Amino acid sequence: MFGKILNFKFTSVSEAKLAASFCSEKFGSKISSFNIVGLNIFIGQTGDLNVSIKFENPDALNKFEENYISIIADLKESLVFKENNFVGVCAYTYEKEAASTET
C-alpha cells in the first residue's frame, strides 16, 4: 500500500476545521477516480491538520500527485497555512473495527 501524508499548520483551530471540511469534500469526491483505499483527517488542538491518504498501487498515487495542486487550489487562495507533504510505502497498518457486543 502507498500513502501520502499532508500536514497543514493554521493559525487557529477554527481555520483547521474549515480546511478539514474542504479536504473531506475535495479528497472524498476523488476516492473512485484516484483509487483511494483509505482517507483519514485529523485536527490538532493547536491548528494542525493532518490528512493521510492511502492508495493501492503507485500509479494511483502518481495520478493523485499530478492533480494535487489543482485539487487544493481553492484552499490556498482562501486560507494562509504552512504545508508539509510526505510520500511513502505503508509496510504495516492495523485498524480495529468496532463491534457490538449486545444481543
Side-chain angles (χ1 to χ4, degrees):
M1 192 168 307
F2 297 83
K4 181 154 182 93
I5 299 173
L6 311 170
N7 299 109
F8 303 107
K9 176 66 178 163
F10 295 92
T11 57
S12 70
V13 175
S14 296
E15 287 183 358
K17 287 179 182 179
L18 288 171
S21 178
F22 174 89
C23 289
S24 175
E25 179 184 333
K26 287 291 184 177
F27 298 143
S29 70
K30 306 292 185 198
I31 287 174
S32 61
S33 60
F34 291 117
N35 296 321
I36 295 173
V37 295
L39 175 63
N40 296 299
I41 301 172
F42 302 96
I43 301 171
Q45 293 178 336
T46 59
D48 295 272
L49 179 67
N50 299 302
V51 181
S52 170
I53 308 169
K54 297 176 189 172
F55 303 90
E56 190 66 40
N57 57 56
D59 294 333
L61 172 61
N62 291 335
K63 183 178 175 184
F64 177 83
E65 286 188 315
E66 290 170 3
N67 294 282
Y68 173 72
I69 297 299
S70 64
I71 295 170
I72 68 158
D74 289 340
L75 183 63
K76 285 191 172 196
E77 291 176 9
S78 303
L79 298 170
V80 176
F81 58 91
K82 292 181 183 178
E83 175 183 8
N84 290 315
N85 297 325
F86 305 95
V87 176
V89 177
C90 299
Y92 177 79
T93 106
Y94 171 80
E95 294 181 29
K96 183 178 179 180
E97 289 189 29
S100 176
T101 58
E102 296 179 27
T103 54

